[in-house]
Amino acid sequence: MEIENLEIQQISQFYGYDMSPQGIMILQGNYANTAHIHRRPFKSAHFSLLFCLTGRLSLKVNIVDCEISENQLLIIPPTAIREISLQEDVTFIALFFTPEYLFQTGFYKKHFEIFSFFKEDYQPYLYPETQGAINLRDILQLLARKPVTASADNVSREIAELLFQTLLLELSLVNRQTVSHSIKQKRSAKVDLAVRFLQILPLYYLEERELKFYADKLFVHTKYLSQTVKSATGKTPRQYIVEMIIMEAKTLLDNPKLSIGQISDYLRFSDQFHFSHFFTREVGINPMRYRSQEY
């Protein structure tokens, strides 16, 4: 089944940018100009780098609650379900780029190790130190002044490409600092198990909803996994599985081309009635009513 994502082309059209199909876009966001996606889950096939300038930016990435504040950033991998919750005082810089753009420059051949934190199963917060934050902000703002539009000449495109490569190098330095900091403050075994569960859940939740499957994947007993995740996060694994299905259902319901029956089939429900009952129980309204709500 074809699923419509919110991609760079649609984003550029919404903001009135004359973007070329280069696979990269940057914008400065705030509450007013991002309200159309506020609290509405969606998918994208590109990477999203969010750098918070002021206030706090809250979002869910594959049902994991995330929050960044001033001078912090988050990288969201392709296909992850995102749900953004904005405060009125928030401002941020958002950089979107496709995996193809990431690799087409040939930059990875010299600096392949940099790309470890762009893997789909790795969703890093990065907390740069003061100078690192200033450097990242300055590079992003320079990129924003050199948008890759359809009318951009070759020199402008090359400048944007070099700035993007500079950003990657600066990110690699910040990433090393973050990794070094996390090693010094090593997670407990229980927290580590909860994190690994949340990392593999987005890979299998459509096909596998039984807790035993995830326990076997993580080489632990089902009861131990349930107790550990609950203790570390406040939620049970089953609650996370349900949340993941609901977020996926909401993204599908926002595609008017898909019928409720098609969505039910895609989400592996036995029939439309069971899907509607499940959705209504968890969300409080039925799928048709959710679909008709304004953003």
Side-chain angles (χ1 to χ4, degrees), residues 80-93:
I81 303 176
R82 315 104 194 269
E83 184 176 353
I84 298 176
S85 177
L86 300 172
Q87 302 297 323
E88 292 191 5
D89 63 342
V90 71
T91 61
F92 60 93
I93 299 177

Side-chain angles (χ1 to χ4, degrees), residues 22-42:
Q22 294 296 310
I24 185 171
M25 177 186 173
I26 189 167
L27 63 86
Q28 301 207 32
N30 54 46
Y31 181 86
N33 69 10
T34 319
H36 63 294
I37 58 171
H38 182 65
R39 292 190 179 278
R40 200 79 173 192
F42 62 95

Side-chain angles (χ1 to χ4, degrees), residues 170-193:
E170 189 66 39
L171 279 172
S172 72
L173 292 176
V174 173
N175 185 56
R176 288 176 192 172
Q177 295 169 358
T178 302
V179 171
S180 175
H181 180 72
S182 66
I183 290 173
K184 291 176 183 177
Q185 300 184 356
K186 191 174 181 180
R187 304 189 291 226
S188 69
K190 290 186 176 181
V191 171
D192 185 67
L193 177 62

Side-chain angles (χ1 to χ4, degrees), residues 62 143 199 205 257 280 291:
N62 286 338
L143 260 173
Q199 286 177 335
Y205 71 98
K257 296 179 182 178
T280 304
R291 170 171 269 177

Side-chain angles (χ1 to χ4, degrees), residues 45-256:
H46 55 259
F47 290 97
S48 299
L49 186 154
L50 304 176
F51 184 95
C52 187
L53 297 171
T54 62
R56 291 182 179 274
L57 180 62
S58 301
L59 62 156
K60 277 190 175 183
V61 180
N62 286 338
I63 57 106
V64 177
D65 292 316
C66 306
E67 184 176 86
I68 54 174
S69 56
E70 185 175 348
N71 290 336
Q72 296 175 352
L73 62 94
L74 177 70
I75 299 170
I76 306 173
T79 72
I81 303 176
R82 315 104 194 269
E83 184 176 353
I84 298 176
S85 177
L86 300 172
Q87 302 297 323
E88 292 191 5
D89 63 342
V90 71
T91 61
F92 60 93
I93 299 177
L95 175 66
F96 312 117
F97 53 94
T98 63
E100 291 77 16
Y101 187 86
L102 185 62
F103 288 101
Q104 75 182 19
T105 63
F107 187 62
Y108 70 95
K109 293 178 181 177
K110 291 182 179 179
H111 303 281
F112 187 78
E113 72 283 355
I114 289 176
F115 298 94
S116 63
F117 56 92
F118 287 125
K119 292 179 180 177
E120 297 220 1
D121 61 349
Y122 186 51
Q123 301 168 18
Y125 290 100
L126 296 181
Y127 303 114
E129 296 175 357
T130 302
Q131 189 57 52
I134 293 172
N135 293 344
L136 287 170
R137 184 194 63 208
D138 289 348
I139 297 167
L140 286 166
Q141 289 177 337
L142 280 171
L143 260 173
R145 297 187 199 119
K146 288 288 182 181
V148 185
T149 63
S151 58
D153 56 38
N154 289 335
V155 173
S156 296
R157 292 172 192 268
E158 288 182 14
I159 291 174
E161 192 173 287
L162 289 171
L163 286 170
F164 180 73
Q165 294 178 7
T166 303
L167 177 70
L168 293 183
L169 289 169
E170 189 66 39
L171 279 172
S172 72
L173 292 176
V174 173
N175 185 56
R176 288 176 192 172
Q177 295 169 358
T178 302
V179 171
S180 175
H181 180 72
S182 66
I183 290 173
K184 291 176 183 177
Q185 300 184 356
K186 191 174 181 180
R187 304 189 291 226
S188 69
K190 290 186 176 181
V191 171
D192 185 67
L193 177 62
V195 169
R196 287 189 289 129
F197 167 73
L198 292 173
Q199 286 177 335
I200 67 170
L201 176 59
L203 304 177
Y204 300 105
Y205 71 98
L206 282 177
E207 292 81 18
E208 301 290 346
R209 298 177 188 176
E210 292 300 322
L211 192 54
K212 185 179 185 306
F213 170 84
Y214 296 96
D216 289 346
K217 276 282 183 184
L218 296 167
F219 306 103
V220 296
H221 292 295
T222 302
K223 185 176 180 180
Y224 181 76
L225 176 62
S226 183
Q227 292 175 338
T228 300
V229 173
K230 172 71 174 177
S231 174
T233 69
K235 294 181 182 179
T236 67
R238 294 192 188 281
Q239 287 177 298
Y240 281 116
I241 292 170
V242 168
E243 283 186 31
M244 197 77 218
I245 296 167
I246 289 297
M247 285 192 74
E248 181 75 52
K250 287 179 176 179
T251 67
L252 296 170
L253 286 166
D254 280 335
N255 182 354

